[in-house]
Amino acid sequence: VVVDAPIVVQNPAHGPNFALSPGQPVPQTVAGKVQAATTLFWRIPGSEFEDGSGVVVCSPRSGRRHQIRVHLHHLGHAIYDDPLYSPVDQSAAAPAAASSWAAQQKALVSPLPGCKECSHPKEDPADLYISLHSLCYVGKTWEYETGLPAWSFLSASQSAFVRHIIKDEIARVRHGRIDGGSVIG
């Protein structure tokens, strides 16, 4: 799946970034700038869990703040434990119904004490974890690759599928077809 949706980058005090659908005007109330953004997504075959979630590989073609998280939210498939872009209330005992984007925006605009930019409180690093892992960073003359995270629960054939995508993306960078970036699992 290719998501070619511009991202409205906002100051955190004004709410989270969001993607625009084709032809969608920037809302008048937005205090941010629009930046082109493209991300490629591959769903790993057979990686689906009972709740319908699964593992995807993402390759951003541009480097925007929260780009992968914003584009997954735009598709309606936010990272399940993402406190900023997931439509599910993670604090509820049972899965909650998805909140409207407007309600999320309103809740996130209210500043909290802590951060000098958005007044967000300082938190325990363990509370800041989400299920997003960088497998590979690639430049024209360099690359850095790491292993798959334990939470991905991928079989050998699924891991091979991921490695094939990484190898193909590295080749695209090396041959100048894309500028570089990262492959995320």
Side-chain angles (χ1 to χ4, degrees), residues 20-183:
L20 296 172
S21 297
Q24 178 185 357
V26 178
Q28 295 286 334
T29 58
V30 169
K33 60 182 176 178
V34 179
Q35 296 179 324
T38 303
T39 309
L40 279 65
F41 296 98
W42 296 264
R43 183 156 189 161
I44 308 301
S47 70
E48 295 79 17
F49 298 103
E50 288 180 16
D51 65 358
S53 63
V55 179
V56 296
V57 175
C58 317
S59 183
R61 295 295 196 244
S62 41
R64 309 296 177 219
R65 184 177 60 152
H66 299 178
Q67 178 175 329
I68 292 168
R69 296 165 67 190
V70 170
H71 278 168
L72 284 169
H73 179 271
H74 183 70
L75 288 172
H77 298 288
I79 299 167
Y80 81 96
D81 57 357
D82 186 338
L84 189 57
Y85 296 101
S86 177
V88 177
D89 179 1
Q90 297 298 324
S91 64
S99 300
S100 70
W101 178 250
Q104 289 181 34
Q105 286 281 86
K106 184 177 179 182
L108 291 166
V109 169
S110 302
L112 302 169
C115 171
K116 64 183 177 183
E117 267 195 58
C118 67
S119 302
H120 196 276
K122 293 183 180 179
E123 297 189 36
D124 181 342
D127 294 336
L128 300 176
Y129 173 86
I130 64 170
S131 299
L132 180 66
H133 175 75
S134 180
L135 291 172
C136 184
Y137 288 98
V138 183
K140 292 197 186 293
T141 60
W142 59 271
E143 66 187 72
Y144 172 78
E145 188 174 337
T146 187
L148 292 165
W151 54 257
S152 68
F153 301 107
L154 297 181
S155 68
S157 63
Q158 291 167 327
S159 295
F161 178 79
V162 171
R163 296 290 170 214
H164 174 76
I165 292 170
I166 291 172
K167 182 178 176 185
D168 188 51
E169 291 296 284
I170 290 171
R172 281 188 163 89
V173 171
R174 296 283 185 266
H175 293 101
R177 293 189 298 246
I178 59 176
D179 291 335
S182 58
V183 178

